[in-house]
Amino acid sequence: MVAKLYSAAVIGVDAYPVEIEVNLTGVSSISVKESTISIVGLPDTAVKESRDRIYSAFISSNFVPPRGFTVVNLAPADLRKEGAAFDLGIALAILGATGTLDVDRLGRIAALGELALDGSLRPVKGALPIAAKMAGEPHIKALLVPSANAREAALATGGKLPVFPVKNLAEAVELVNRGHGTPFKASMNDLEPVKNLPDFDEVKGQLAARRALEIAAAGNHNVLMYGSPGTGKSMLAMRLPGILPSMTLEEALETSRIYSVLGLLSGNDRLINIRPFRSPHHTISDAGLIGGGKDPRPGEISLAHNGVLFLDELPEFKRNVLEVLRQPLEDGMVTVSRASGSCCFPARFMLCAAMNPCPCGRGLVELGCRCKVEEKRRYLKRISGPLLDRIDLRVPVRQLTEKELLKAPDGESSAVIRQRVCAARKIQSERYSKYGFFSNNQLTPKTLQQFCTLQNSGEKLLRDAVARFKLSPRAYTRILKVARTIADLAGAVSISDEHIFESINYRKSDLE
C-alpha cells in the first residue's frame, strides 16, 4: 500500500514543499527482525538516521513497526533534504501504509518534527518559513508541528492554515484519526512595543554625534563615528535601535524567518519585533559575516536585517571581510554561491561603525598621540575607498570637557528623538509608497532627480563641494539623500542651502 503526506525542505531561508511517499512490500513474508527501511530522494545523514529514531518511537508508542521492505521517497528527488524535521512526516506516512491511519486524510496534511526515541517530539529549525509556504498550498488543509514551534508557525500562516501542536507521535496519530482538533491561536498582538532599550538620556554631551545618529535613523543611512577610546562611540551605537521606528508585521516576519532557520526562536518567543542590533567581533570571517558554509546559512548581516549592524574598531576587521559588505550595502541582499547552487539572503541593515583616528587611539598630540604620519595613513588605509564611499555620515566623537564629564546627563531621551524620526519616516513612506521602498537611503537615480531638486544656490554649493573634496558620483548622490532626510526632519518640502551645507559637513572628514 502507498501512503503520502507533505513536509518541506529549507534551503537558505526559503522553504520548498516535499511530498513524502511510503510503499510497503512483503509484509506477511518477512519477520520484524528482517524489516528494512530505505529512504531515497537525496537525503542527508540526519534524514537517513530517521529510520532508527522512527523504529524506536514506534516501539515506545506501542505501534507495530513495518515488516518487510519499506521504501520512503522524498519528492522532488533532486532537491537535497537535510535535518530531522522529516521524522514525524515519515512516521505518519508509514503508519498510513500499514493501514493504521486513513490514507486519504493523510494526503491533505503537512507535518514536521524530530522524533525522540520515546516518541516525543523535539522542535525543529525553520518552522516559520515552512508554515508560511504551506499556507499557500491549496491542497494542504492542516499542519502538524511540535508544541514548541506552534507559536511561530501559527503567526506565519496568519490564520490561513490550521496549525496543530503535538507533543508526541501518539498524539499526532490520534489527531489524524480523529480528523479534527483545536488549532493553535496566535494573536498579532504578540508584537509588543519597544521597551527597556538603552536610552539617549544617559549620554553626556556629544551633540554632534547624537544629531548624526538621528539623521541616520530617520533616513536609514550608514554612519561612521571616529574618536579616541572611551569617548562613548559604542555607548551611542547601542542606543540607535531605541530611536528607530517599530517594526511592521511584514518586517517582523522577514527577520523572524532568518532567526527561525538558524534555530534562534525558542518556543516561548514571539516574533522578532525589536529591531536587531548585531555587533560581531573583529575576528569574524567573511562567511560568518555574510553567510556561507557547505550548506549556506545566513550570517551576521542577515541577522541584522531590518536593524543595525555595529562594527566596532572597523580597521581591525580583515580587509577581505569588510569588502564583502559592498554588495549588500547597495542591494539589501547577499548572494552566496556554492557548487551545489546559490542562496539569496535578505540583508537590508543600517551600518553603524566606530573607529579610532590612529593606531594609538588618541589622535591629537595634546592628548599624547605619538603616531607618525605614515602610521596614521596605513591605519586609515585598512578601510578601502569604495567601502568608505558607501558610508553616508562620518562624525567625530570628541573627548568630553571636565565640565561636561562632571555634569549629569541632560540631553533628550530616546522617546523624544524617536518621535521626530518616526515623523520623518512617515513622510518618506507616504512619498515613496508607489515606488516600492520606504526611506531616502533607497532612492534610485530616477527618483533622486524627482525628489531632490535644488535651488540655484544649493546647486552651486554642491558643485563647489564636489570640486573641493573630489567627490565621486556615489558621494554626490549620498549627500543629496542625506540632505533630503535633514529636510524631512525639519518638515521642509524642498531642500534648502542649510540642509545641503549640513549634509556636506557630514561627508567630509579626516579619514581620507
Side-chain angles (χ1 to χ4, degrees), residues 134-141:
M134 291 305 177
E137 300 293 323
H139 55 280
I140 295 176
K141 304 303 180 183

Side-chain angles (χ1 to χ4, degrees), residues 114-125:
E114 177 185 344
L115 280 171
L117 298 185
D118 62 355
S120 61
L121 282 172
R122 295 191 174 108
V124 296
K125 299 177 181 179

